Amino acid sequence: MAGYDIHQHLWPPPFVEALRRRSGPPCIRGDELVLAEGSYPADLNAHELEARIALLDRAHLDVAVVSLQPTLGIQSLAGSERDELEQAWEEGILELAAASGGRIRPLSPRLPRAGFAGASVGADAFEDLDVAAPLLDALRGSCFLFVHPVAGSPPSADRRWWAPVVDYTSQMQRAYFAWLAAGQARWPDVRVVFAILAGGAPVQLERLGCRADAPVESAHENVFLEISSYGRRAIGLCADAHGTEQILFGTDAPVVDPGVAARSLAGCGTELERLAREETPARLLA
């Protein structure tokens, strides 16, 4: 089965060079990506366009939607530093997208503009929707917004899993419920995609429904959930809570092997697999 991957990351050469020039996080030192939350191997070969197209072929994917991940901590930098990195990524990714024959569809880390399929933000952007309003207004009735975790807290040596498992998911739950409580009624024509199943937040909708003071009991039809890093049971619960047509296939490549998400989705049945990989993302990107 072919289709779309709505959650990948790709670093164009100008962005990699900009990271190499930096002395503090986020930066690349030798073969390591240095972030405020810790250091990780920087597999730069995985960010070569030829390697990415080969990965799409192996995973039986037609298109990858790529974004500049907020977990790098760029949004917390001073204005000039942030602008330099975001501009380097935007200019470089548009070149890679143009050379990809339509197989790479980028999201802007800033306001949407020509050449981008939409925009991406960190989960903390929904902590103050008035601050996010210019971006959300610009997305009305057009392209979509991808919500992704931001950097987590520095882990202890024996808990390197803490940030992606605990910090990221709690951020996404907060963003999801902030949107349900105050965003979706204000911007009903903005399509929002929450990465990593919104940290499993839809499972809490039943609990929310037990509250007499709950601001809302369900998500709008323009709220979507991307599945990367989750298995069959979590995907099934979120599909039950939201509806199968709101689930999107995503892998978080190259951070995570695309085969993980592919096997998880395949275990949910051919109908959900077809919707998540083909029909729903095609509708979102139309």
Side-chain angles (χ1 to χ4, degrees):
M1 184 176 292
Y4 300 79
D5 182 342
I6 213 77
H7 181 181
Q8 289 198 16
H9 303 295
L10 183 62
W11 299 344
F15 180 71
V16 172
E17 291 307 311
L19 288 177
R20 287 196 183 280
R21 290 194 298 267
R22 292 181 52 81
S23 59
C27 64
I28 292 176
R29 295 177 186 161
D31 295 328
E32 276 197 323
L33 172 66
V34 181
L35 305 177
E37 73 174 40
S39 298
Y40 304 89
D43 182 6
L44 298 180
N45 290 332
H47 294 278
E48 296 289 339
L49 180 59
E50 183 176 338
R52 186 56 55 90
I53 297 300
L55 182 146
L56 295 183
D57 290 341
R58 290 194 302 274
H60 306 291
L61 291 164
D62 299 315
V63 174
V65 177
V66 300
S67 58
L68 176 57
Q69 60 265 54
T71 46
L72 297 179
I74 293 173
Q75 76 283 351
S76 64
L77 297 175
S80 59
E81 294 181 79
R82 176 176 178 172
D83 289 344
E84 179 186 3
L85 289 174
E86 289 181 342
Q87 183 174 349
W89 188 86
E90 283 188 325
E91 293 177 355
I93 204 66
L94 286 176
E95 292 180 2
L96 293 185
S100 72
R103 302 192 69 183
I104 300 295
R105 300 282 300 274
L107 299 173
S108 172
R110 299 187 279 192
L111 289 173
R113 61 186 179 92
F116 292 93
S120 62
V121 295
D124 57 355
F126 283 1
E127 291 179 2
D128 190 336
L129 289 173
D130 288 333
V131 173
L135 171 60
L136 292 165
D137 289 340
L139 290 165
R140 281 188 178 275
S142 57
C143 41
F144 70 96
L145 181 65
F146 184 62
V147 184
H148 188 285
V150 299
S153 55
S156 58
D158 61 338
R159 291 187 177 181
R160 295 183 62 84
W161 50 267
W162 187 271
V165 175
V166 179
D167 289 347
Y168 294 1
T169 54
S170 60
Q171 294 169 20
M172 294 302 294
Q173 289 197 23
R174 288 176 62 87
Y176 174 86
F177 282 110
W179 183 254
L180 264 59
Q184 64 181 9
R186 187 172 170 185
W187 290 278
D189 52 348
V190 173
R191 294 171 295 172
V192 180
V193 177
F194 288 92
I196 62 169
L197 291 177
V203 176
Q204 308 302 332
L205 286 173
E206 289 179 331
R207 181 172 173 81
L208 179 66
C210 294
R211 300 287 306 186
D213 58 347
V216 66
E217 294 184 11
S218 62
H220 192 277
E221 63 182 1
N222 278 338
V223 172
F224 300 85
L225 304 167
E226 177 271 321
I227 70 165
S228 62
S229 76
Y230 282 94
R232 174 186 56 81
R233 289 174 295 181
I235 296 169
L237 286 171
C238 290
D240 285 344
H242 263 260
T244 56
E245 293 187 350
Q246 307 309 113
I247 304 298
L248 290 161
F249 180 70
T251 65
D252 199 12
V255 180
V256 179
D257 182 341
V260 174
R263 289 188 293 272
S264 296
L265 185 61
C268 296
T270 56
E271 178 64 12
L272 179 55
E273 186 180 20
R274 179 182 59 80
L275 287 170
R277 288 182 65 123
E278 298 178 0
E279 289 194 15
T280 301
R283 175 163 51 93
L284 191 70
L285 289 162

